[in-house]
Amino acid sequence: LDEVTFDPALIAIDWGTTSARAYGIDAVGRVMASRSAELGVQRVAEGRFPQALDALLGDWRKFPVPRIACGMIGSRQGWIEVPYVPCPADLDAFGNALVRTPGGELLVVPGALCRDADGVPDVMRGEETQLVGAMVADDERVLAVLPGTHSKWAVVDEGRLLGFATFMTGELYAVLLDHSILGRMANRRYLASGGALADAVEASAPPVETSRGDAAFRAGLHRGWGMHALAHDIFGARTLALANELDAVCVPEWLSGVLIGHEIAGARRWVEAWGVSANRVRVIGAEALAGRYERALACAGVVTDRAANDAAATGLWRIAQRAGVVHTCEPARGPS
Amino acid sequence: LDEVTFDPALIAIDWGTTSARAYGIDAVGRVMASRSAELGVQRVAEGRFPQALDALLGDWRKFPVPRIACGMIGSRQGWIEVPYVPCPADLDAFGNALVRTPGGELLVVPGALCRDADGVPDVMRGEETQLVGAMVADDERVLAVLPGTHSKWAVVDEGRLLGFATFMTGELYAVLLDHSILGRMANRRYLASGGALADAVEASAPPVETSRGDAAFRAGLHRGWGMHALAHDIFGARTLALANELDAVCVPEWLSGVLIGHEIAGARRWVEAWGVSANRVRVIGAEALAGRYERALACAGVVTDRAANDAAATGLWRIAQRAGVVHTCEPARGPS
């Protein structure tokens, strides 16, 4: 990036629970630069959000341009609580509901709220903006997944967010491995039936060869999308290891498969009500986890496409545009 | 208990992961006395089982009678590993497979192993003995549940254990409350929308009134036995609390309902293959948790009966009898 010519039209911030990333966006909507800091909402002391913003922006503070943010920064634990927008919600609904922080430092995008068939609410903050940014011109009704600690599945119809469902897949995986007997199976050497395995289960946890890990992941997927009771299915990590039918080092891969398989099966059932095919899914997210979901969906015979990177930045740009916050130029098409 | 007349014919030990309980049983199979110690398998240093047994028995060591034990004491982490008996397994199968500890201190009952429809193994150690002890003379095909950290559902046909399924319900409940965002919802005051709730969510955790807790438990049950994806359903603890539709203090009751509801629905589906009605269930276990399952099953329209206390002691007695380990007398029926 040539610092001399960097002249953003908008500063867009994806401000989550653990970290924040700021994007400098030019007048035609292109991300020119980004910077991030471990200054997520959870890590900022009460009332210190202006200071956190300064630290994140650094010398970008000098640009006299609009700033817009999405994510947990708009939650009760964030800088300012922005009420959820109910689904269905389109770009106007988000653009019309921006809330300014008390000192005028930032515009904050609301999260979205929907209710499932039982009337139980579901919520997102940040993913609504990624969904806005992940849509392309000729999309009709799109089923999308945003893998993560709390994975979100969403249906978006010509830019309108119709509904979504959260699955605590990533958090379940973490708490089961870190705090349950399944994690102890994966970590302890007593399982080793022979020297080879015992050597492999060192505390330093050398990587499992890809093929063995992949087989365990696939076996877990098949277990998971049978959609028996999850509390039963996951116990297989223990029993298969006890029976020497699953290497202890492969327990994490197997468990990941069960949980993601369960999520995919649950999401496919959930989507039946929405009149959209569950056989095509747009995957929104960062490399490793998104790739894992793509592998899982391919196993299930689902066709996937991957949203462009920086969907949050694109979504923030689109919302700011619709809200009339930024002045836009015609994109430069070719050498000028 | 009159120490002078205490003259056991058998010492029977239910020796689990965290604690051990020894029963003194007379020549007609009645439990005359018991004593327990926090000397579960997990708490005994490697190789120190003889000393742990001495500590548990105390002055009972003087009785020159057979000793028999069930539970995790027969696991790989226990005193001696006793191979699982495959299902179907009757009293003879268990009685014929007793294993003696190297010093001859104890006979140890094997656990049981079965495979589910996918061929994935399931295991129990200790519950097989409780099941043996919980059967009564005119039982035909019985569906039983043993609530716990790892709940077991089992089908027993005229004393033969046909098959069973484990649900990690209790462990999921504990790790979710202790380590996930759902527990933080339950514990943190920021959720409080007003003074009354804030006062109620003190660290000292005053009890929720029964009626409010019961309503949350029932709401959770209904959520759970819809059998959507569990990873989605439990997220309702967060969203309902955020939407002020569930008091934060009631999150544990609601979550307990979801998990138990999910278990019951999964077990009812599981039992379809066994030709036994899911509308009648024998509950085996200790007061508080067994009572919670009885309430849940009643909500589901299931008739329950409760096994007599000390099912493990009765089971150990029956297995010892069948194995020819104890000499039995005719039971004394009335004054002698």
Side-chain angles (χ1 to χ4, degrees):
Chain A
L1 175 72
D2 182 348
E3 281 290 340
V4 178
T5 63
F6 178 52
D7 180 24
L10 178 72
I11 292 175
I13 305 174
D14 183 4
W15 201 327
T17 302
T18 55
S19 66
R21 179 173 291 273
Y23 299 88
I25 301 182
D26 73 7
V28 293
R30 293 177 304 201
V31 172
M32 307 302 287
S34 76
R35 39 184 61 178
S36 68
E38 298 300 291
L39 287 169
V41 166
Q42 223 168 47
R43 295 173 177 175
V44 176
E46 200 172 327
R48 305 280 296 169
F49 286 106
Q51 291 80 359
L53 179 63
D54 285 350
L56 173 65
L57 294 185
D59 62 348
W60 287 10
R61 281 178 293 175
K62 70 187 177 208
F63 297 115
V65 298
R67 299 163 178 171
I68 187 170
C70 67
M72 293 304 280
I73 193 67
S75 70
R76 207 168 293 177
Q77 299 81 53
W79 195 334
I80 186 165
E81 185 173 2
V82 184
Y84 295 104
V85 168
C87 287
D90 59 13
L91 206 48
D92 283 326
F94 294 114
N96 292 335
L98 301 181
V99 170
R100 199 174 288 277
T101 53
E105 300 89 344
L106 273 183
L107 288 164
V108 183
V109 176
L113 180 143
C114 67
R115 291 190 183 266
D116 68 16
D118 296 332
V120 175
D122 207 334
V123 294
M124 55 170 52
R125 276 200 192 275
E127 293 91 349
E128 75 295 325
T129 303
Q130 291 183 65
L131 285 162
V132 165
M135 295 301 127
V136 294
D138 58 349
D139 279 339
E140 294 182 356
R141 194 166 278 206
V142 174
L143 174 63
V145 60
L146 300 102
T149 305
H150 297 165
S151 288
K152 309 282 184 185
W153 289 73
V155 175
V156 182
D157 184 78
E158 298 187 349
R160 246 159 61 107
L161 176 58
L162 297 186
F164 58 90
T166 303
F167 296 79
M168 292 182 62
T169 304
E171 186 161 10
L172 272 172
Y173 177 77
V175 298
L176 287 170
L177 276 189
D178 290 347
H179 301 290
S180 86
I181 194 170
L182 305 184
R184 292 192 288 280
M185 297 301 284
N187 300 328
R188 284 177 64 167
R189 298 184 63 166
Y190 66 73
L191 281 171
S193 56
L197 183 54
D199 290 341
V201 194
E202 291 295 341
S204 60
V208 184
E209 320 91 87
T210 310
S211 63
R212 202 153 53 117
D214 191 59
F217 179 62
R218 284 166 187 271
L221 282 175
H222 285 280
R223 179 82 171 159
W225 59 52
M227 278 290 276
H228 308 298
L230 184 63
H232 170 65
D233 288 344
I234 56 178
F235 193 62
R238 173 165 168 76
T239 55
L240 287 167
L242 274 173
N244 292 319
E245 292 168 27
L246 174 68
D247 281 347
V249 289
C250 293
V251 161
E253 284 291 327
W254 187 89
L255 185 62
S256 169
V258 172
L259 292 169
I260 292 174
H262 218 261
E263 176 184 325
I264 290 172
R268 294 183 85 161
R269 191 182 295 178
W270 168 79
V271 85
E272 282 168 12
W274 290 105
V276 53
S277 165
N279 294 327
R280 179 176 291 276
V281 173
R282 180 159 308 159
V283 180
I284 306 173
E287 191 54 48
L289 190 60
R292 178 172 289 268
Y293 273 68
E294 285 170 341
R295 279 162 62 207
L297 287 161
C299 280
V302 174
V303 177
T304 59
D305 59 57
R306 177 86 72 101
N309 284 339
D310 297 334
T314 305
L316 285 164
W317 167 259
R318 289 178 179 170
I319 292 169
Q321 252 192 325
R322 182 61 63 100
V325 171
V326 284
H327 300 287
T328 63
C329 307
E330 282 300 301
R333 297 195 184 278
S336 57
Chain B
L1 176 73
D2 183 347
E3 281 289 341
V4 178
T5 63
F6 179 53
D7 182 24
L10 179 72
I11 291 174
I13 305 175
D14 183 5
W15 200 328
T17 302
T18 56
S19 66
R21 179 173 291 274
Y23 299 88
I25 300 182
D26 74 7
V28 294
R30 293 177 304 199
V31 172
M32 307 301 287
S34 77
R35 40 184 61 178
S36 69
E38 298 300 292
L39 288 168
V41 165
Q42 225 169 43
R43 295 174 177 174
V44 175
E46 199 173 325
R48 305 279 297 170
F49 286 106
Q51 293 79 357
L53 179 65
D54 284 350
L56 173 66
L57 294 183
D59 62 348
W60 286 10
R61 282 178 292 174
K62 69 186 178 210
F63 297 115
V65 299
R67 300 161 179 173
I68 187 170
C70 67
M72 292 303 281
I73 193 67
S75 70
R76 207 168 293 177
Q77 299 81 53
W79 194 334
I80 186 166
E81 184 173 1
V82 185
Y84 294 103
V85 168
C87 287
D90 60 12
L91 208 47
D92 282 327
F94 294 113
N96 291 337
L98 300 180
V99 169
R100 199 173 290 275
T101 53
E105 300 89 342
L106 273 183
L107 289 164
V108 182
V109 176
L113 180 143
C114 68
R115 290 190 183 264
D116 68 18
D118 296 331
V120 174
D122 207 335
V123 294
M124 56 171 50
R125 277 199 192 276
E127 292 91 349
E128 74 296 326
T129 303
Q130 291 184 65
L131 285 162
V132 164
M135 296 300 127
V136 294
D138 58 350
D139 279 337
E140 293 183 356
R141 194 165 277 207
V142 174
L143 173 62
V145 60
L146 301 101
T149 304
H150 298 164
S151 287
K152 309 283 185 184
W153 288 73
V155 175
V156 183
D157 184 79
E158 297 184 352
R160 246 160 59 108
L161 176 58
L162 297 186
F164 57 91
T166 302
F167 296 79
M168 291 181 63
T169 304
E171 187 161 10
L172 272 173
Y173 176 77
V175 298
L176 287 171
L177 276 189
D178 290 348
H179 301 291
S180 86
I181 195 169
L182 306 184
R184 291 192 288 281
M185 296 300 286
N187 298 328
R188 284 177 66 168
R189 298 185 64 168
Y190 67 71
L191 279 170
S193 55
L197 182 55
D199 290 339
V201 193
E202 291 295 342
S204 60
V208 184
E209 320 92 86
T210 310
S211 62
R212 202 151 55 116
D214 192 58
F217 179 62
R218 285 166 187 271
L221 283 174
H222 285 280
R223 178 85 172 157
W225 58 52
M227 278 291 274
H228 307 298
L230 185 63
H232 169 65
D233 288 345
I234 56 178
F235 193 61
R238 173 164 168 76
T239 55
L240 288 167
L242 273 175
N244 293 317
E245 293 168 28
L246 175 68
D247 281 347
V249 289
C250 292
V251 162
E253 285 290 326
W254 187 88
L255 186 62
S256 168
V258 172
L259 292 167
I260 292 175
H262 218 262
E263 176 183 326
I264 290 172
R268 294 183 86 162
R269 192 182 295 178
W270 169 78
V271 85
E272 282 169 11
W274 289 105
V276 54
S277 166
N279 295 325
R280 179 176 291 276
V281 173
R282 180 159 306 161
V283 179
I284 306 173
E287 191 54 46
L289 190 59
R292 177 173 291 269
Y293 273 68
E294 285 170 341
R295 279 163 61 207
L297 288 161
C299 280
V302 175
V303 176
T304 60
D305 59 57
R306 178 84 73 100
N309 285 338
D310 297 336
T314 305
L316 285 163
W317 168 259
R318 288 176 180 170
I319 292 169
Q321 251 193 324
R322 181 63 61 102
V325 172
V326 283
H327 300 288
T328 62
C329 308
E330 282 298 303
R333 300 197 182 276
S336 57

